[in-house]
Amino acid sequence: MKKLLMALALASVSVAGMAQNSQSAEPTEKYSVATNSFWSNWFVQANVVGTAFYSNEESGMGLSKSPLKGFRNNLGFSVAIGKWFTPGLGLRTKFNGIWGRSVYSDNKKDNASKYWNVNEEVLFNLSNMLCGYNAKRVWNFIPYLGGGIGRNMSYNSYGIDLTAGLLNTFRLSDRFALNLDINYVLGTNDFDGIPEGGGDRGFKNYDRMVNVEVGLTYNLGKTRWNKVPDVEAIKALSQGQIDALNAQVADAQSENAKLKQMLADAQRP
């Protein structure tokens, strides 16, 4: 009788252990995540910006194209707010300004101007798209495209622009990341307040900016995405566990029958 009770107890422990393992080892999809609420996955950014300006009217003047020339570059800042709708797709609204150059000579002081532009940009996190979502990935490679409006405050002129860039983020923690943002802005030829040039000269007929931005990202609210369970794998795993439990029960029943027979034989004269 003691052997029978011990065998049943061992069978119960084995069944409970298998059930616990099935709950803790649930398989998930590598490239799929569950969507979050609208208030999740927001972020804000602040950057110091170095900008090189290229005006349409400088064509043919023989000025140096180097972005390091003082008559062409200036320092500014940018701030942005955005949201990731999926780990690979997001939107960002960015303000950039305010010290610029209207390049029509090689005189740094004469070229000084003040401006701002506001762009709406679509972000594509290729790191998550191509390699799968990873909350602890150190480097994220994020190209983007956008457009918006700008104003030259020194000349009281407005213009629309298109922008393309590459945002690199380097994870510091769940909340903070370091930014390196390199982008190109193509604006209308009167953005710098000097609507001259004319003719078909390709990009040279437009006012252009090259920006290098360095700063920080701060993530708001919920920052992570939950993995989606792999339903097919769970089904296969569940069936395997059911088969194992059935085999274990069959073994326990066989052992129970043997113990009963041993008990009956022991009671005979």
Side-chain angles (χ1 to χ4, degrees):
M1 182 63 69
K2 291 182 178 180
K3 290 184 177 180
L4 175 61
L5 294 176
M6 290 177 63
L8 292 176
L10 288 173
S12 300
V13 171
S14 299
V15 172
M18 292 184 65
Q20 184 176 4
N21 289 337
S22 67
Q23 293 177 355
S24 60
E26 184 178 272
T28 58
E29 292 278 3
K30 179 179 180 181
Y31 293 99
S32 300
V33 295
T35 56
N36 291 330
S37 70
F38 176 79
W39 304 110
S40 300
N41 307 106
W42 285 82
F43 62 89
V44 292
Q45 295 175 327
N47 299 295
V48 175
V49 184
T51 305
F53 297 84
Y54 297 84
S55 297
N56 68 306
E57 57 277 354
E58 70 175 86
S59 180
M61 297 179 62
L63 298 177
S64 172
K65 302 301 181 182
S66 171
L68 302 179
K69 293 295 183 179
F71 66 85
R72 188 179 297 286
N73 63 41
N74 215 334
L75 287 176
F77 70 92
S78 70
V79 292
I81 183 170
K83 172 178 170 56
W84 290 104
F85 294 92
T86 71
L89 182 64
L91 289 177
R92 177 176 71 171
T93 303
K94 184 170 72 173
F95 171 92
N96 183 29
I98 60 174
W99 301 281
R101 304 284 184 197
S102 296
V103 183
Y104 58 91
S105 73
D106 59 0
N107 188 302
K108 178 179 178 179
K109 184 176 180 180
D110 291 343
N111 289 353
S113 64
K114 292 184 178 180
Y115 78 102
W116 57 258
N117 59 24
V118 176
N119 289 328
E120 190 67 25
E121 299 162 344
V122 184
L123 311 176
F124 306 92
N125 189 325
L126 293 187
S127 298
N128 284 335
M129 287 182 173
L130 299 179
C131 302
Y133 168 66
N134 182 356
K136 295 186 177 181
R137 180 177 287 115
V138 175
W139 173 45
N140 283 281
F141 181 81
I142 310 171
Y144 62 88
L145 297 171
I149 186 173
R151 177 174 183 255
N152 190 308
M153 294 180 286
S154 298
Y155 294 93
N156 194 28
S157 62
Y158 289 85
I160 59 174
D161 62 67
L162 299 174
T163 182
L166 176 60
L167 171 62
N168 299 272
T169 64
F170 302 90
R171 182 181 182 273
L172 302 176
S173 68
D174 278 356
R175 292 293 177 189
F176 287 97
L178 180 67
N179 307 324
L180 174 59
D181 190 339
I182 303 171
N183 57 80
Y184 182 87
V185 181
L186 184 68
T188 54
N189 60 12
D190 57 349
F191 170 72
D192 61 1
I194 312 173
E196 298 177 359
D200 185 8
R201 296 176 294 160
F203 284 173
K204 293 182 179 180
N205 199 42
Y206 298 88
D207 293 325
R208 293 147 285 146
M209 294 185 292
V210 177
N211 299 306
V212 177
E213 309 181 26
V214 178
L216 289 174
T217 293
Y218 179 72
N219 297 309
L220 304 171
K222 183 177 180 179
T223 62
R224 298 197 176 196
W225 305 82
N226 296 325
K227 291 282 189 176
V228 174
D230 188 337
V231 177
E232 295 301 323
I234 292 174
K235 287 181 179 178
L237 182 62
S238 299
Q239 186 59 47
Q241 290 175 336
I242 291 173
D243 294 340
L245 286 172
N246 287 335
Q248 209 167 33
V249 170
D251 291 341
Q253 289 175 340
S254 177
E255 184 67 21
N256 188 22
K258 290 179 181 179
L259 292 173
K260 285 183 178 179
Q261 185 61 45
M262 291 173 61
L263 181 61
D265 292 341
Q267 291 176 345
R268 293 173 182 174

